[in-house]
C-alpha cells in the first residue's frame, strides 16, 4: 500500500518503454518555494530486467553500476535505501519534500528470506557500502541498528512482512561532503560528463541550506501483469538553495546561478531526460524564461500540481544558443503556502545531566479529519528510557496509542526502539513525552569532544495523510461536477514520512585526564581496608607485664637476696 | 566475689529478664518504648512520603542504586504489562520474586517499605535481646568463677546498660537518617535488610532451618550475603555445643546439614523464579549485573569511577580483584573470630556494604544499627570523633558536590569522586577498629591481669 503511495508521489513519466533490457531516465524538478528559496530535485532511474538471485551469475553490466549489482547478489538484498543529508528540511517553510530524509546518514535494507544470519550479513553490507560511498557507514553496529516492526515496509514488490529481515540504522552525526558526492555520481551511466549530472558541481551543491543524496534499489514489476520483475535503481539528489547566499538579495534564479553550469545535451544513454518546473503558482508569483508550451499535471503529495516540461532529448529545447539556462524571476514576495498537513518537531526538556525528557510534538493541520501516524523512535542505550513515564496527550487529553512496540535497550549492545500508532485528532498538537536517565560511560566510550554532546537520530513519523484535494469539498477549483461528489480512493490519502530534528544530548563526563590518579587513589583505599584487616588478622594480643620502676627493681633484688617474695 | 563490693555485684548480676523476675512483666515494660519508637519512625516516614521531598530523595544516587531504584521496579512492571520481558532490557535488575511481590502490592508500596523497616527493627531488637541474655549469662559465670580482675570492672556490662541496648539497636536502625532516606526513596534495599535481619534473628534464636532459608533469600536477592554463611554456622554450632574441630564427625555432619538446607532452598528459589517468568534471562540480568558492573552511575561506592576510568584490557582483572575482596575476608575472619560469630556477622555486613558493587546508604544503615551492641568498648576506639565527623561531613557534601557537578556545571566528576573516596576511607577503618575493640575485649574473658596494661599491643 505504501509502495503505491510512494510511487504515486513522484511525477512519474509513463512512457511505453522500448524493448532493451535496461533503461535509464533522468529528470530534474525545480520548485520555487514560498520562502523565496528554490528546491531542485534530481532523479536518475535505471531499470534492469535481470535476476540477481536465481544463482545465475550476472557478469555483464551496461547501465546498472556493477558495484551495486554485486552488492545485491552477494548479500541477497531485496531492497536497499541509503541517504546522506546535510541540513534539516524545514517542513513548515518549505512544504513536504519529494523524498524525505533525516539529517546525517540513513540506511535501511530488506534482505531476502533466504539469508540465515541477517546480523552478520548486515555488518558486512554496511562495511562494503561504507567503501562504496566513502562514508562512515562502518560505524553502524548493533548499538544503532533496529528492526522496526511497522514503520518501514518494502517499497518494491513482494509482501514480506517479517521484520526479521529488515535492518534500519541512522548516523545523525555523519557529515556529507564532496567525497560522498563523487562516488555517487560515478554510479550514473553518463557520470557527470553529460546530461543533468553536469549540473552537480560540489562547490555549489554544498553551498546550500539543504543537501540530500540518496540511492534506492528495489524490485519492481516489468509490466502490468507483473509476471517478471526488474531491478530499479533510483539515485536522487535534493538541494535547497538559499535566497541570500546565491541571489544576493535579488529574487532571481537561473540554472547558471544555481549550479554555475548550463545544459547543452541530454545523457545520450538516457531514454528520457526532462526538466520540470513547478508553475502551479505562476504567473502570479514568478515568471519563467524561456517559456515552454509543454505542460504536465500530476498529483504530488496530495495536491494537484502543474509543471512546465523541458524535454532535453529534443534539440529545439536548447534554442539557437545550443544551451539551456532556465531563468525564474519572482514578481512578488507575498503569497501563502498551503500548510503541510503533518508536521513534527522534537526537543529535550529538563536541566542538569542526570535526567531529561524527550518531547515529540506532532501537528495535524487538517481542519476536520483525524488520521493515524506511526511514530518510530530509536534512542541510544546511554539515554535510559523509562517507558512507564510515556505520555501521549492531544488537546489536553490523554491519547492512548492503539499499538506500542517497545524493545528496551541493552547496555553497549542495542538501542531502545519505540514504535507506536497514534491517532492525531483534527487541527491539534499531539505531544509524546518520555523521561530518560543519562548514563555515565567508560572514558573510552566517549566520542571526541564529549562535551559537544551525543546525537540522537530523528524520530520517523509515517502516515497516510488525507489529501488536500479531498479536503476541498466545496470545489473551489474547477472540476467537472460528476467527478467531485465522492472522493476517489487514489486521491483520498497519500503517504508521507516526516523526520524530526535529531537531538543533541549532553552526558556527564568523567575527567579524561586522570585515569592513573583514579586507579591509584581507589586502589590505595582498598589497600588501606585490606591492610587494616590483615593487620588485625595477623596480630596477636598478649598481656605485657609493665616493667617496674628502678626503685622497685632494686627493692626486688634486695628482697630476692633476703629470700622474701618480690613486690 | 573477692574484691568486688557486694552491692555492685548484686546489681550487676540481676538481669531483669531472667524468669525469676517475671518475663511477662519485662515484655510489657519493654514493648511500650519499642511501640513508641515504631510509631515515631512510621510517622516520620509517612510525613516524608507525603512531602515534596519524596520525589527528590528518590532520585538521589546515594540512596538508590541501579539495582534498588524504585523507578526501575515500576519500569519492570510496565514492561511486563507491555508484554516485554523485564530482563530483555538493561533497566530492571531485581529478582523475579520482587517483581512478583510488587505485582500485587505496587499500590501499597509505601506501606510495604515501612513494614520492611519495622520488621527489620523488631527482628534486630529481638535478636540483640536474645544475644544479650547469652552474653550476660556468660558474664555471670565468669564473675562467679572470679575470672574478672578488679580493674576490668568498667568493662562489665551492667544490666541497666544491657536493658537498653536492644532498644538502642532498633532506634539506630529506625531513626538513622540513612534508613529513613532509603525508605522514603522506596529503595528495595530496605527489603533486603529485612531479610538479613530475619536471618540474624532466626540464627540467634537457634533455628537452623529458618536461618538457612532466610540466608538463602538474602543471597538470592544480592549475591553478597553468601559470606554470612560462615558466622551463621559458627553461631549455631556454638549454640548446639558442637566443637569447631575438623576431625570431629559432628562438625562435618552439621555443616553438611546446613549446606543441604541452604542449597536446597536456593534450588527451590531459583526454580521458582524460572517458572515465574519462564526463562533464565534473570540470571545474567541480576547476578551478571552485580558481578560485572556494567552500569557506572555514580554512587557512594568505590566501583563507578574506578571502572569508568579503567583501561579496557585491565578491566576484567580489577573487576575480579574488587569482587573477590568481598568474599576474601570470610575465611580468615571466621578463623580469628570463631568465638564471636555475632560480631563476625557485623564485620561481614560492614565489609559487604563497603566493597559491594552498588552500595547505597541503606546498606550502611544496617551495619550501623549494630554499633550499640558493642557500646561498652567505645573507649578503645581510636579516632571516633574524627571518623564520625568525616562521615557526617561527607554525607552533607554528597548532595552539594553532586549539584555542582551535574546541575551547576561548576565542578567536575573528580569533586564527587573525592567525597566518595573520603567516605570510604572513613568507613574502611570501621570494621578494623571494631575488631580491635573486640579482640581486646576477648582478653577480658581470659583469666587476666589488669586490662589497662594490655593496651600496649605487641605486633609482629
Amino acid at each position: 500500500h505504501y509502495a503505491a503511495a510512494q510511487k504515486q508521489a513522484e511525477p512519474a513519466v509513463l512512457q511505453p518503454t522500448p524493448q532493451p533490457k535496461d533503461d535509464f531516465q533522468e529528470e530534474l524538478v525545480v520548485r520555487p518555494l514560498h520562502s523565496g528559496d528554490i528546491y531542485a530535485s534530481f532523479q536518475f532511474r535505471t531499470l534492469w530486467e535481470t535476476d540477481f538471485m536465481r544463482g545465475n551469475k550476472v557478469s555483464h553490466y551496461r547501465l546498472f553500476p556493477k558495484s551495486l549489482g554485486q552488492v545485491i547478489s552477494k548479500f541477497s538484498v531485496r531492497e536497499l535505501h541509503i541517504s546522506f543529508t546535510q541540513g534539516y528540511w524545514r517542513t513548515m517553510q518549505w512544504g513536504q519534500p519529494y523524498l524525505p530524509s533525516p539529517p546525517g546518514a540513513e540506511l535501511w535494507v530488506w534482505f531476502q528470506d533466504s539469508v540465515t544470519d541477517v546480523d552478520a550479513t548486515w555488518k558486512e553490507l554496511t562495511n562494503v557500502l561504507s567503501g562504496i560511498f566513502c562514508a562512515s557507514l562502518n560505524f553502524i553496529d548493533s548499538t544503532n541498528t533496529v528492526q522496526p516492526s511497522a514503520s518501514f515496509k518494502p517499497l518494491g514488490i513482494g509482501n514480506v512482512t517479517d521484520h526479521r529481515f529488515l535492518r534500519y540504522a541512522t548516523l545523525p552525526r555523519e557529515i556529507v561532503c564532496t567525497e560522498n558526492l563523487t562516488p555517487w555520481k560515478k554510479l550514473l551511466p553518463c557520470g557527470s560528463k553529460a546530461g543533468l549530472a553536469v549540473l552537480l558541481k560540489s562547490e555549489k551543491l554544498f553551498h546550500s541550506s539543504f543537501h540530500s543524496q540518496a540511492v534506492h534499489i528495489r524490485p519492481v514489476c516489468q509490466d502490468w501483469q507483473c509476471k517478471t520483475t526488474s531491478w530499479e535503481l533510483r539515485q536522487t539528489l535534493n538541494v535547497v538553495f538559499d535566497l541570500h547566499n546565491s541571489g544576493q538579495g535579488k529574487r532571481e534564479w537561473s540554472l547558471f546561478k544555481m549550479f554555475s553550469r548550463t545544459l547543452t545535451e541530454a545523457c545520450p544513454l538516457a531514454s528520457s531526460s526532462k526538466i520540470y518546473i513547478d508553475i502551479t503558482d505562476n504567473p502570479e508569483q514568478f515568471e519563467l524564461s524561456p517559456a515552454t508550451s509543454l505542460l504536465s499535471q500530476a498529483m504530488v503529495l496530495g495536491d494537484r500540481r502543474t509543471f512546465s516540461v523541458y524535454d532535453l532529448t529534443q534539440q529545439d529545447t536548447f534554442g539557437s544558443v545550443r544551451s539551456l539556462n532556465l531563468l525564474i524571476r519572482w514578481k512578488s514576495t507575498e503569497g501563502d503556502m498551503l500548510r503541510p498537513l503533518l508536521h513534527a518537531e522534537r526537543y529535550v526538556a529538563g536541566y542538569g545531566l542526570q535526567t531529561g525528557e524527550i518531547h515529540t510534538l506532532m501537528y495535524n493541520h487538517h481542519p476536520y479529519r483525524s488520521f493515524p501516524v506511526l511514530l518510530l523512535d530509536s534512542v541510544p542505550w546511554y539515554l535510559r528510557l523509562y517507558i512507564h513515564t510515556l505520555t501521549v496527550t492531544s488537546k489536553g487529553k490523554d491519547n492512548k496509542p492503539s499499538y506500542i512496540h517497545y524493545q528496551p535497550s541493552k547496555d553497549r549492545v542495542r538501542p531502545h526502539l519505540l514504535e507506536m500508532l497514534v491517532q492525531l485528532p483534527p487541527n491539534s498538537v499531539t505531544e509524546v513525552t518520555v523521561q530518560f536517565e543519562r548514563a555515565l560511560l567508560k572514558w573510552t566510550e566517549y566520542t571526541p569532544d564529549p562535551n559537544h554532546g551525543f546525537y540522537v537520530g530523528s524520530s520517523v513519523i509515517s502516515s497516510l495523510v488525507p489529501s488536500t484535494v479531498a479536503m476541498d469539498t466545496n470545489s473551489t477549483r474547477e472540476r467537472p461536477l460528476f467527478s467531485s461528489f465522492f472522493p476517489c480512493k487514489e486521491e483520498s490519502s497519500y503517504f508521507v514520512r516526516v523526520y524530526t530534528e535529531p537531538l543533541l544530548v549532553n552526558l556527564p563526563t568523567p575527567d579524561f585526564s586522570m585515569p592513573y590518579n583514579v586507579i591509584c587513589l581507589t586502589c590505595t583505599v582498598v589497600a588501606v581496608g585490606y591492610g587494616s584487616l590483615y593487620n588485625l588478622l595477623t596480630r596477636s594480643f598478649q598481656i605485657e607485664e609493665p616493667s617496674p620502676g628502678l626503685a622497685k627493681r632494686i627493692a626486688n633484688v634486695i628482697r630476692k637476696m633476703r629470700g622474701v617474695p618480690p613486690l | 566475689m573477692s574484691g568486688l563490693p557486694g552491692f555492685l555485684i548484686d546489681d550487676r548480676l540481676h538481669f531483669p529478664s531472667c524468669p525469676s523476675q517475671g518475663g511477662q512483666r519485662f515484655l510489657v515494660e519493654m514493648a511500650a518504648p519499642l511501640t513508641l519508637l515504631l510509631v515515631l519512625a512510621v510517622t516520620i516516614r509517612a510525613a516524608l512520603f507525603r512531602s515534596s521531598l519524596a520525589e527528590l530523595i528518590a532520585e538521589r544516587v546515594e540512596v538508590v542504586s541501579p539495582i534498588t531504584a524504585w523507578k526501575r521496579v515500576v519500569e519492570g512492571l510496565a514492561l511486563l504489562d507491555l508484554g516485554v520481558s523485564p530482563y530483555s532490557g538493561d533497566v530492571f535488575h531485581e529478582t523475579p520474586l520482587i517483581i512478583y511481590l510488587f505485582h500485587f502490592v505496587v499500590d501499597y508500596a509505601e506501606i510495604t517499605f515501612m513494614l520492611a523497616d519495622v520488621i527489620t527493627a523488631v527482628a534486630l531488637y529481638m535478636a540483640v535481646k536474645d544475644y544479650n541474655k547469652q552474653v550476660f549469662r556468660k558474664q555471670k559465670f565468669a564473675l562467679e568463677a572470679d575470672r574478672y580482675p578488679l580493674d576490668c570492672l568498667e568493662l562489665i556490662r551492667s544490666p541497666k546498660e544491657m536493658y537498653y541496648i536492644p532498644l538502642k539497636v532498633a532506634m539506630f536502625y529506625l531513626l538513622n537518617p540513612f534508613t529513613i532516606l532509603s525508605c522514603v526513596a522506596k529503595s528495595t534495599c530496605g527489603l533486603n535488610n529485612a531479610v538479613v535481619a530475619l536471618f540474624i534473628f532466626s540464627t540467634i534464636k537457634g533455628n537452623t532451618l529458618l536461618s538457612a532459608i532466610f540466608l538463602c533469600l538474602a543471597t538470592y536477592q544480592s549475591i553478597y550475603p553468601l559470606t554470612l554463611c560462615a558466622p551463621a554456622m559458627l553461631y549455631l554450632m556454638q549454640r548446639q555445643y558442637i566443637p569447631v574441630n575438623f576431625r570431629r564427625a559432628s562438625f562435618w555432619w552439621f555443616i553438611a546439614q546446613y549446606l543441604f538446607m541452604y542449597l536446597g532452598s536456593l534450588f527451590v528459589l531459583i526454580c521458582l523464579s524460572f517458572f515465574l517468568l519462564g526463562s533464565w534471562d534473570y540470571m545474567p540480568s541480576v547476578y551478571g549485573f552485580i558481578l560485572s558492573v556494567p552500569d557506572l552511575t555514580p554512587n557512594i561506592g568505590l566501583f563507578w569511577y574506578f571502572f569508568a576510568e579503567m583501561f579496557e584490557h585491565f578491566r576484567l582483572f580489577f573487576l575480579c580483584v574488587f569482587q573477590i575482596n568481598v568474599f576474601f575476608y570470610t575465611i580468615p575472619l571466621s578463623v580469628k573470630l570463631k568465638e564471636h560469630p555475632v560480631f563476625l556477622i557485623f564485620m561481614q555486613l560492614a565489609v559487604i556494604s563497603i566493597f559491594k558493587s552498588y552500595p547505597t546508604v541503606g546498606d550502611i544503615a544496617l551495619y550501623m544499627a549494630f554499633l550499640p551492641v558493642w557500646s561498652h568498648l567505645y573507649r578503645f576506639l581510636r579516632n571516633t570523633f574524627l571518623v564520625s565527623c568525616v562521615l557526617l561531613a561527607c554525607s552533607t557534601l554528597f548532595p552539594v558536590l553532586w549539584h555542582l557537578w551535574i546541575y551547576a556545571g561548576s565542578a567536575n566528576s573528580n569533586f564527587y569522586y573525592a567525597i566518595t573516596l573520603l567516605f570510604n576511607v572513613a568507613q574502611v577503618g570501621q570494621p578494623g577498629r571494631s575488631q580491635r575493640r573486640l579482640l581486646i575485649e576477648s582478653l577480658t574473658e581470659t583469666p587476666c591481669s589488669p586490662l589497662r596494661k594490655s593496651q600496649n599491643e605487641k605486633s609482629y
Side-chain angles (χ1 to χ4, degrees), chain A residues 375-395:
Chain A
L375 173 70
L376 171 110
D377 248 325
S378 162
V379 180
W381 66 266
Y382 38 78
L383 306 183
R384 299 204 172 88
L385 289 189
Y386 286 97
I387 198 68
H388 71 269
T389 61
L390 177 79
T391 60
V392 185
T393 47
S394 17
K395 290 184 168 170

Side-chain angles (χ1 to χ4, degrees), chain B residues 199 203 207-209 211-213 215 228-229 232-233 236 253-263:
Chain B
F199 152 73
T203 309
N207 192 328
T208 316
L209 180 66
S211 155
I213 288 175
L215 180 60
L228 296 176
C229 218
M233 285 195 280
L236 290 168
W253 173 236
F254 179 81
I255 287 191
Q257 257 180 325
Y258 193 82
L259 285 183
F260 177 75
M261 284 187 270
Y262 175 73
L263 294 176

Side-chain angles (χ1 to χ4, degrees), chain A residues 387 414 443 511 522 536 538, chain B residues 75 88 308-309 414 417 432 460:
Chain A
I387 198 68
R414 63 157 198 246
W443 70 303
D511 186 342
T522 311
L536 284 158
T538 52
Chain B
E75 176 74 5
S88 65
E309 296 268 8
N414 293 342
Y417 165 68
Y460 53 88

Side-chain angles (χ1 to χ4, degrees), chain A residues 2 342 371-374 461-466 494-498:
Chain A
Y2 290 147
L342 176 64
F371 54 86
V373 295
L374 260 172
I461 294 159
S462 322
S463 173
L464 282 173
V465 174
Y494 62 101
F495 180 76
V496 162
R497 188 166 282 153
V498 176

Side-chain angles (χ1 to χ4, degrees), chain A residues 353-354 386-388 409 411-412 414 437 440 443 510-511 514 518 522 526 530 536-540 543, chain B residues 59 71-72 75 88-90 294 305 308-310 325 329 336 406-407 413-414 417 432 449 457-458 460:
Chain A
L353 297 176
Q354 190 178 6
Y386 286 97
I387 198 68
H388 71 269
S409 71
D411 284 5
R412 300 175 180 91
R414 63 157 198 246
E437 196 177 274
L440 181 77
W443 70 303
D511 186 342
M514 49 180 281
V518 171
T522 311
V526 173
Y530 172 80
L536 284 158
L537 287 171
T538 52
R539 178 186 295 245
S540 69
I543 290 143
Chain B
E59 292 276 324
K71 205 175 169 186
R72 296 187 182 232
E75 176 74 5
S88 65
D90 248 344
Y305 206 49
E309 296 268 8
M310 179 49 65
N325 216 11
Y329 302 111
K336 190 84 179 178
I406 296 294
Y407 293 102
S413 47
N414 293 342
Y417 165 68
S449 45
E457 292 145 21
K458 197 175 171 186
Y460 53 88

Side-chain angles (χ1 to χ4, degrees), chain B residues 13-203:
Chain B
L13 282 183
H14 281 294
F15 195 74
S17 72
C18 51
S20 60
Q21 291 283 313
Q24 205 64 39
R25 189 166 61 84
F26 168 72
L27 209 67
V28 175
E29 263 176 26
M30 278 313 283
L34 182 66
T35 318
L36 214 65
L37 178 66
L38 293 180
V39 169
L40 178 66
V42 168
T43 317
I44 292 174
R45 282 161 174 73
L48 278 173
F49 270 129
R50 294 280 159 272
S51 75
S52 57
L53 283 175
E55 222 167 283
L56 192 77
I57 293 169
E59 292 276 324
R60 300 295 320 158
V61 285
E62 299 87 14
V63 182
V64 296
S65 73
I67 298 182
T68 60
W70 175 247
K71 205 175 169 186
R72 296 187 182 232
V73 176
V74 176
E75 176 74 5
L77 291 171
L79 286 177
L80 212 59
D81 284 347
L82 278 177
V84 182
S85 160
Y87 300 106
S88 65
D90 248 344
V91 167
F92 184 76
H93 301 287
E94 298 283 355
T95 52
L97 279 190
I98 286 282
I99 201 169
Y100 191 69
L101 169 72
F102 282 112
H103 191 69
F104 295 108
V105 298
V106 70
D107 297 331
Y108 311 101
E110 295 175 5
I111 297 171
T112 314
F113 282 103
M114 289 196 274
L115 199 67
D117 272 10
V118 166
I119 290 173
T120 315
V122 171
L124 288 182
Y125 173 87
M126 310 272 269
V128 169
K129 204 169 79 181
D130 215 64
Y131 173 65
N132 269 351
K133 243 186 265 177
Q134 292 165 34
V135 169
F136 195 82
R137 201 176 300 136
K138 219 190 261 175
Q139 184 177 295
K140 192 171 144 193
F141 288 144
L143 271 176
E144 277 167 358
D146 200 11
R147 283 163 68 189
Y148 281 109
L150 188 60
D151 45 3
C152 291
L153 205 60
E154 52 201 319
L155 276 178
I156 295 173
R157 279 157 280 191
S158 71
K160 200 167 175 189
E161 271 166 30
M162 294 184 92
Y163 179 86
Y164 286 114
I165 282 176
L167 197 64
K168 274 188 195 160
V169 168
M171 193 144 74
F172 256 60
Y173 187 75
L174 281 178
L175 300 185
N176 188 339
F178 286 165
T179 325
I180 295 174
L181 289 177
S182 188
C183 178
V184 173
K186 295 193 247 180
S187 159
T188 53
C189 179
L191 302 182
N192 296 357
N193 284 354
V195 173
V196 173
L198 285 174
F199 152 73
I200 294 169
F201 173 63
S202 47
T203 309

Side-chain angles (χ1 to χ4, degrees), chain A residues 430-465:
Chain A
T430 302
E431 187 173 24
V432 179
T433 62
V434 63
Q435 288 176 14
F436 65 88
E437 196 177 274
R438 299 163 207 244
L440 181 77
L441 310 182
K442 297 176 195 164
W443 70 303
T444 46
E445 286 171 335
Y446 287 89
T447 50
D449 191 11
N451 290 310
H452 173 71
F454 286 73
Y455 285 90
V456 180
S458 313
S459 34
V460 188
I461 294 159
S462 322
S463 173
L464 282 173
V465 174

